[in-house]
Amino acid sequence: MATRKEEDWLGVLIGAVLGGLFVATAWLLRRFWVTLGWLAALALAYSMDVDAYASWPVRTVAVAIALVLLMVLSRWFRWLRKGLPVVAEVDRRRQQRASRSGNRLLREFGFVSSGDTTVYRTKFARGVWIVDAPLASLTDRVVVENVVRDRLAIVDGAQDVSVEQTAVGGHFRIDFLSDPRSDARAELTPLEQPMPWGGDWDAVPYGVRADGSLAVLRVRECSGTVVGGLPGGGKTGGLTTLLSALVPSEAVQFLVWDGKGGHDWGWLAPRAALFNRDDEDRERVALELEAVVQVMRARLDGMPRLRDGPSIWETGGPSLDMPLLVLVIDECQTVLDKEMIPRTDKESQGFRQRTEAALSVLVRKGRSVGIWVIPTTQKPTSDSLPTTIGANAASAIAFRVKTHEAERAIMGTAPGPNEPSATALPAMPGYAVVSSESGEREVVRFAYLPSEVASRIAQEHAGRRRTVIGPITREVAPDVASAPDEGNKAAESTDETASERAPRPRRARSPRKPRNEAA
């Protein structure tokens, strides 16, 4: 049996061990203030003298059950984690680590400079990057996605990325994926019918985006859409899909000038109010476009009377009595490029200038009265697409091109460092960079509608074709034989004019006499 002295020493030893354990635990958990608070509360509870029914095993089980319930509830109420032992500190350390990782990604992806020491509201954990930073470089979702996709190797194991803008002003959720996503654009199959269109002029469908959503084009108040790209890139096929959706509408009339002189646009001939596939008759093209200009001017002058308003789009939109005029000038370089005309051919040069002037007027002034000009070219240069036309077009579509100069001729400006470029498009028909009125660019793929299907649809709705311009009268020089008197007068006038302009003959001078000769 232990003596009193031995019991005192044993108590001192146990107290020293417990005190050392408490100090060691406090040092290890020096940042775990919530946990230490719980330990202190439990130690105080156990030191109190209570009845037998409330012994320490019962209290321990009760506390454990309470903690388990709080942890379960914290899955739905995250604020509870701030009051749970161990969980609160672990969650705080995890948040700090995620914040440091998020700020590191901001610098590595170039959204802020590497020397910027500001701690932004962002976190990265488990492949998900949440950004809530009002930065100028984090305002455009397309730009953010392009930047992250180009530097995807920064994140270990990332094969693809999904970017969602959660709010305006630098709020994004970026998911780094371990497996590449399936691209809906690559899975397109030929259509069996034109893409369905419900009559919304703000959203005419033509293809799909990378995320599988429907790609649409705004036609409302669209003055023109410039289209360009290499041969075989899908220009004609893409426009076939786009315009075929409008074919059934009685509020649309088509005017087509096929600069290739082939049959690529033959599918639309039954439905077109004007169809010209003569690629050599420059006079006819100029006269027809000038006739459309006269229609435009008549509409502009008559808008208050016809629609009781200044714009067709503010007074109900296109209709049967005032349809949208869609002008397709395919391979417009054949009628606009002055380098394709001999310099000695003054007459053809004159018709080219008149054609350019007419198109420029239509693009500049035809928007409010429902005129939509679509020039296309496989030779995108400043000669094929004069700035008087391209600069006033509301939108642009660039299929695959080889040079940035060609892309600039189509889009009006070169792509920015974080914008998609038409020079990097896949070598597959239908892919294009589309620019809207706001200047935002995105890569889309036009759906493909076989020409035989499009031709059948156009034939079925051929009865909706209406006359847009009157008969074209060529400028014929006056016939001299039919008006002899006028011809003689003209000849006489010409002779008189020529005689007036002819130099007068000099009078013969008499030889001078020698000075020494007598007078």
Side-chain angles (χ1 to χ4, degrees):
M1 183 174 182
T3 63
R4 178 80 177 180
K5 188 174 182 180
E6 292 175 346
E7 291 179 352
D8 291 341
W9 279 103
L10 182 61
V12 172
L13 179 62
I14 294 175
V17 171
L18 292 176
L21 290 175
F22 180 80
V23 171
T25 303
W27 185 83
L28 292 173
L29 303 178
R30 60 188 182 279
R31 296 181 181 177
F32 286 69
W33 304 112
V34 175
T35 302
L36 290 177
W38 276 81
L39 290 176
L42 289 175
L44 179 63
Y46 287 143
S47 65
M48 298 176 61
D49 186 14
V50 294
D51 295 336
Y53 70 87
S55 61
W56 68 267
V58 175
R59 282 179 287 171
T60 302
V61 172
V63 170
I65 292 175
L67 288 176
V68 170
L69 289 175
L70 289 175
M71 288 184 179
V72 172
L73 291 174
S74 68
R75 294 177 60 88
W76 291 277
F77 305 99
R78 296 185 63 87
W79 56 269
L80 285 176
R81 296 187 180 187
K82 297 181 179 180
L84 294 176
V86 181
V87 174
E89 284 76 11
V90 171
D91 190 63
R92 183 169 60 250
R93 293 293 296 275
R94 184 183 296 115
Q95 295 295 331
Q96 292 174 350
R97 188 164 53 250
S99 177
R100 288 194 297 269
S101 299
N103 279 271
R104 175 180 58 82
L105 290 183
L106 280 178
R107 291 164 179 81
E108 291 185 354
F109 279 110
F111 293 119
V112 298
S113 64
S114 58
D116 189 351
T117 58
T118 306
V119 178
Y120 295 97
R121 293 184 58 184
T122 177
K123 57 184 179 180
F124 171 71
R126 298 181 181 180
V128 179
W129 187 17
I130 304 297
V131 183
D132 295 307
L135 297 170
S137 56
L138 290 169
T139 55
D140 192 330
R141 187 195 67 81
V142 176
V143 172
V144 172
E145 181 173 357
N146 291 332
V147 171
V148 175
R149 192 179 296 277
D150 290 342
R151 306 179 185 179
L152 204 57
I154 292 176
V155 179
D156 294 336
Q159 299 295 322
D160 206 343
V161 66
S162 173
V163 179
E164 177 187 359
Q165 188 168 9
T166 55
V168 178
H171 301 272
F172 289 90
R173 175 190 171 94
I174 303 173
D175 292 272
F176 294 93
L177 310 176
S178 57
D179 296 320
R181 292 183 301 169
S182 60
D183 193 339
R185 297 171 300 185
E187 300 173 358
L188 275 180
T189 57
L191 301 174
E192 297 181 357
Q193 292 289 337
M195 302 188 76
W197 176 58
D200 186 359
W201 299 104
D202 288 320
V204 179
Y206 63 87
V208 296
R209 297 184 174 92
D211 59 0
S213 61
L214 193 65
V216 296
L217 187 70
R218 175 185 170 90
V219 174
R220 179 186 299 274
E221 296 185 305
C222 183
S223 58
T225 301
V226 176
V227 182
L230 291 172
K235 298 187 299 299
T236 304
L239 289 178
T240 297
T241 301
L242 173 66
L243 299 184
S244 63
L246 302 176
V247 165
S249 174
E250 62 182 7
V252 179
Q253 293 297 326
F254 301 93
L255 299 91
V256 180
W257 290 267
D258 189 350
K260 288 193 293 288
H263 299 279
D264 289 348
W265 286 93
W267 69 271
L268 193 53
R271 179 66 172 81
L274 184 150
F275 188 82
N276 183 352
R277 54 180 294 269
D278 190 339
D279 59 340
E280 295 182 356
D281 193 344
R282 298 179 183 277
E283 179 185 10
R284 178 182 171 187
V285 174
L287 293 174
E288 289 172 341
L289 286 170
E290 287 173 347
V292 180
V293 172
Q294 295 303 318
V295 173
M296 179 199 72
R297 295 191 186 281
R299 287 188 176 189
L300 288 171
D301 295 338
M303 281 302 297
R305 172 178 52 84
L306 298 172
R307 284 298 189 92
D308 195 23
S311 172
I312 188 176
W313 303 105
E314 298 176 1
T315 54
S319 60
L320 178 61
D321 60 331
M322 188 177 288
L324 172 71
L325 301 184
V326 182
L327 280 65
V328 179
I329 302 92
D330 191 44
E331 301 304 338
C332 61
Q333 72 273 7
T334 58
V335 294
L336 292 176
D337 192 350
K338 58 185 177 182
E339 297 298 328
M340 299 184 68
I341 305 174
R343 294 184 179 180
T344 57
D345 191 350
K346 301 300 182 182
E347 185 180 25
S348 296
Q349 289 285 0
F351 290 134
R352 187 209 69 79
Q353 293 175 358
R354 290 169 59 178
T355 298
E356 179 182 343
L359 285 174
S360 299
V361 171
L362 290 171
V363 173
R364 284 188 292 109
K365 299 183 177 181
R367 175 181 59 85
S368 62
V369 292
I371 294 179
W372 180 24
V373 181
I374 309 177
T376 79
T377 181
Q378 62 183 8
K379 183 191 173 186
T381 63
S382 57
D383 292 327
S384 301
L385 291 170
T387 55
T388 54
I389 298 173
N392 292 287
S395 56
I397 302 172
F399 291 83
R400 192 167 64 93
V401 295
K402 290 183 178 180
T403 65
H404 291 296
E405 290 73 17
E407 182 174 7
R408 189 182 302 112
I410 300 169
M411 309 296 283
T413 57
N418 300 320
E419 292 181 327
S421 174
T423 60
L425 292 174
M428 298 175 62
Y431 281 91
V433 176
V434 178
S435 173
S436 63
E437 293 181 359
S438 62
E440 181 180 352
R441 302 187 183 194
E442 62 176 337
V443 177
V444 299
R445 190 180 187 189
F446 282 74
Y448 174 67
L449 182 70
S451 58
E452 56 271 16
V453 178
S455 179
R456 175 174 54 82
I457 299 299
Q459 190 66 48
E460 291 176 356
H461 297 88
R464 300 185 183 276
R465 177 179 59 188
R466 298 289 184 270
T467 300
V468 174
I469 61 176
I472 300 300
T473 303
R474 294 180 182 270
E475 301 171 355
V476 181
D479 189 355
V480 178
S482 61
D485 295 337
E486 295 180 1
N488 293 334
K489 291 180 181 179
E492 293 174 0
S493 174
T494 303
D495 294 340
E496 292 176 0
T497 304
S499 63
E500 291 176 358
R501 293 181 180 179
R504 295 182 179 180
R506 293 183 178 181
R507 294 181 298 176
R509 293 184 179 180
S510 58
R512 292 183 178 180
K513 297 181 179 181
R515 292 184 179 180
N516 56 0
E517 184 178 349

